[in-house]
Amino acid sequence: MFLKSLRLENNLGVIRDIPFHSGINLIVDETPIDSTEATGNNVGKTTILRLIDFCFGGSPRDIYTDPENRKSEHKLVKDFLQNTHVLITLILTADLDDPMAKEILIERNFIPRKGMIRRINGRQLTEDE
């Protein structure tokens, strides 16, 4: 299976839609070369990998917890993810070059308990499943 797309959306609309292509996919900083701003940091490389991991069953805490100090949550980020109902959708495909290839749709959100979305192809699953 191949990653086809990763979409982040909330109750306000699409935040980011990332298509993947055959071959190498790069996450790059588009800051102009002649800019005085620092480049390469805070463009989302690690966040994208964490969101993919989250879709595959990783902990939501990995998104909003400081990796250096696992007890320190970024409250602003956590509140945004939960209060605006951020939904992560990952689409996998058997063949990126064949539009008719079998796809798997994985959806997850950050809302606890009864509001939790953990679906594969529309079917709600438990954590163990």
Side-chain angles (χ1 to χ4, degrees):
M1 295 303 278
F2 298 93
L3 300 175
K4 182 175 182 179
S5 68
L6 180 71
R7 185 176 64 236
L8 291 76
E9 58 190 304
N10 65 9
N11 55 7
L12 301 173
V14 175
I15 298 168
R16 190 146 183 213
D17 196 357
I18 304 166
F20 294 95
H21 310 282
S22 294
I24 296 174
N25 290 263
L26 302 173
I27 300 171
V28 296
D29 181 3
E30 294 182 356
T31 303
I33 294 173
D34 59 351
S35 173
T36 58
E37 296 178 31
T39 61
N41 294 322
N42 298 317
V43 295
K45 301 178 297 287
T46 302
T47 301
I48 297 302
L49 293 174
R50 287 181 182 164
L51 290 169
I52 292 168
D53 181 62
F54 175 64
C55 287
F56 286 135
S59 171
R61 290 182 47 82
D62 291 341
I63 308 298
Y64 53 78
T65 303
D66 182 348
E68 300 289 322
N69 178 4
R70 298 294 297 165
K71 293 182 181 179
S72 176
E73 288 185 350
H74 297 288
K75 183 169 174 29
L76 184 67
V77 173
K78 181 180 180 180
D79 288 347
F80 175 79
L81 293 170
Q82 292 181 347
N83 296 339
T84 68
H85 300 257
V86 172
L87 177 68
I88 312 300
T89 304
L90 179 66
I91 299 176
L92 308 173
T93 184
D95 185 343
L96 284 167
D97 298 320
D98 180 1
M100 301 303 292
K102 179 182 177 183
E103 293 183 351
I104 297 174
L105 180 86
I106 301 171
E107 299 170 290
R108 288 202 65 191
N109 71 359
F110 298 89
I111 300 172
R113 296 181 274 293
K114 292 188 182 211
M116 181 181 293
I117 293 174
R118 186 187 293 125
R119 293 188 291 240
I120 296 179
N121 292 336
R123 181 174 169 249
Q124 182 74 6
L125 302 170
T126 66
E127 186 171 357
D128 290 338
E129 291 173 309

